[in-house]
C-alpha cells in the first residue's frame, strides 16, 4: 500500500463487481500469491482503455493472464492483445486461462523472454497504441528501448509497480542490499520517462504506483 489502506479499501469498495470468471481468477491469483494488478488499479486501467479505444495492446508480463483477461473483457471489438511471459509455471496457467475467455481469438500469448520478443516485434514493424508494462522491474529501461519506437503518436504506456510499495522514496542505504539494484534502476527509469522529450508522463499513486505516459503528437 502506498496510500492509507483505508482509502484504498474505500475506493475499491465503490467498484463495480467484476464478471464471475474474473473474480475467480483474481481470487485464485491472490490465494496462490501470483502477482496481479492491484484491485484499486483495475478501474484505472479500464478507464484508460475506454478513453484510448486502442486497436493493438501490448502487455509485457502476462503472469497467469489476469490483467490480459481484464483488458480483453473491456477492450473495443476490433482490438487485439499481444502479451509476453517467459516463466513456464505461469505460462501453464496463462494458456488455459486465456483459452477460456470470450475474446480468446483476440489474444496472442508470446512465450519468450520479453527482451527477445520485443526485438522481434520491432523488427516485424509492429505498432502498439496501448502498452501495459508489468514485468521484471529492473529491466524496464531495457524494455523501453524497443517499446518506444513501436508506439505511434498518441500511444499510451502504462507502467506498473513504479513506487515499489512506497520504498522508492527511501534512501538506498535503508533498502536491503538485494533490493538495491531494482531500487536504483526504478529511480533511473522514472527519471528517464519523466524527462524523455517524446513522452508526457504522470506518476500516479494508484495500486503499487503507476506511470502513465503518452507519446507526444509532435
Ligand atoms: N500483468 C499481470 C502480472 C504480471 S507479474 C497481471 O496483472 O495479471 C510479472 C510477470 O512478468 C511475471 O509472471 C514474470 O514471470 C514475468 N516476467 C518478468 N520478467 C520477464 C521477462 N524478461 N520476459 C517475460 N516475462 C517476464
Ligand atoms: Mg504489476
Amino acid at each position: 500500500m502506498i496510500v492509507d489502506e483505508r482509502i484504498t479499501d474505500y475506493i475499491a469498495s465503490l467498484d463495480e463487481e467484476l464478471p464471475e470468471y474474473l473474480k475467480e481468477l483474481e481470487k485464485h491469483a491472490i490465494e496462490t500469491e501470483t502477482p496481479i494488478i492491484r484491485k484499486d488499479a483495475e478501474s484505472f486501467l479500464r478507464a484508460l482503455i475506454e478513453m484510448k479505444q486502442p486497436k493493438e495492446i501490448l502487455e509485457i508480463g502476462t503472469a497467469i493472464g489476469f490483467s490480459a483477461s481484464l483488458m480483453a473483457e473491456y477492450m473495443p471489438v476490433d482490438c487485439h492483445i499481444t502479451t509476453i511471459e517467459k516463466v513456464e509455471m505461469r505460462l501453464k496457467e496463462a494458456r488455459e486461462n486465456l483459452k477460456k475467455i470470450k475474446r480468446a481469438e483476440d489474444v496472442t500469448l508470446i512465450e519468450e523472454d520479453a527482451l527477445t520478443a520485443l526485438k522481434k516485434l520491432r523488427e516485424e514493424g509492429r505498432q502498439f497504441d496501448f502498452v501495459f508494462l508489468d514485468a521484471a522491474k529492473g529491466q524496464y529501461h531495457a524494455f523501453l528501448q524497443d517499446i518506444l519506437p513501436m508506439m505511434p503518436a498518441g500511444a499510451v504506456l502504462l507502467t506498473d509497480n513504479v513506487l515499489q510499495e512506497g520504498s522508492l522514496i527511501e534512501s538506498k542505504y535503508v533498502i536491503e542490499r538485494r533490493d538495491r539494484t531494482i531500487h536504483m534502476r526504478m529511480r533511473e527509469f522514472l527519471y528517464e520517462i519523466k524527462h524523455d522529450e517524446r513522452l508526457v508522463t504522470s506518476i500516479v499513486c494508484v495500486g503499487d504506483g503507476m506511470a502513465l505516459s503518452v507519446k507526444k503528437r509532435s
Side-chain angles (χ1 to χ4, degrees):
M1 288 311 146
I2 51 176
V3 292
D4 188 325
E5 195 167 336
R6 289 173 309 159
I7 292 181
T8 317
D9 288 349
Y10 170 68
I11 293 172
S13 79
L14 294 172
D15 263 335
E16 187 190 326
E17 279 199 28
L18 293 172
E20 204 53 44
Y21 79 97
L22 282 174
K23 264 201 280 186
E24 270 169 37
L25 196 53
E26 185 180 43
K27 189 163 157 260
H28 169 74
I30 293 167
E31 280 167 5
T32 54
E33 292 182 9
T34 308
I36 57 164
I37 178 172
R38 300 285 164 91
K39 186 79 206 156
D40 62 310
E42 288 171 6
S43 56
F44 187 60
L45 179 58
R46 276 186 64 182
L48 290 174
I49 286 182
E50 195 58 39
M51 180 164 66
K52 177 62 189 165
Q53 292 286 301
K55 298 251 186 288
E56 288 289 345
I57 297 176
L58 172 64
E59 175 180 70
I60 301 108
T62 318
I64 62 170
F66 177 72
S67 52
S69 302
L70 182 76
M71 292 192 284
E73 173 72 29
Y74 301 108
M75 70 189 185
V77 285
D78 55 349
C79 184
H80 178 268
I81 301 179
T82 303
T83 180
I84 310 171
E85 175 60 55
K86 70 165 178 186
V87 175
E88 179 52 35
M89 189 183 72
R90 300 259 162 83
L91 279 167
K92 230 171 108 195
E93 286 194 57
R95 280 180 213 121
E96 290 309 310
N97 292 331
L98 293 174
K99 223 188 283 171
K100 284 187 281 193
I101 63 174
K102 271 181 282 181
R103 303 278 305 269
E105 71 285 3
D106 296 321
V107 181
T108 305
L109 175 60
I110 300 183
E111 307 188 1
E112 204 171 31
D113 184 273
L115 269 182
T116 318
L118 288 170
K119 293 222 164 7
K120 285 188 195 162
L121 291 168
R122 190 178 164 189
E123 272 163 25
E124 287 164 13
R126 295 285 302 272
Q127 295 270 286
F128 296 94
D129 52 0
F130 195 99
V131 183
F132 182 41
L133 176 53
D134 190 21
K137 317 306 166 203
Q139 286 184 286
Y140 279 1
H141 163 80
F143 296 148
L144 189 68
Q145 310 317 307
D146 287 308
I147 293 172
L148 267 181
M150 291 196 281
M151 289 171 60
V156 171
L157 167 66
L158 183 66
T159 310
D160 198 20
N161 309 100
V162 299
L163 296 177
Q164 302 277 290
E165 307 274 349
S167 68
L168 202 74
I169 58 167
E170 306 294 349
S171 142
K172 69 176 177 194
Y173 300 106
V174 190
I175 305 293
E176 280 194 50
R177 195 166 283 275
R178 64 187 164 91
D179 295 330
R180 278 193 197 158
T181 306
I182 290 192
H183 181 263
M184 182 189 72
R185 289 200 182 156
M186 188 58 85
R187 281 190 173 196
E188 285 169 359
F189 174 78
L190 290 184
Y191 187 91
E192 181 179 13
I193 54 174
K194 283 295 285 186
H195 292 86
D196 192 304
E197 300 254 297
R198 295 164 291 181
L199 297 174
V200 180
T201 295
S202 174
I203 298 166
V204 188
C205 284
V206 64
D208 189 24
M210 288 182 139
L212 172 61
S213 310
V214 182
K215 186 106 174 249
K216 285 186 195 168
R217 287 165 206 276
S218 56

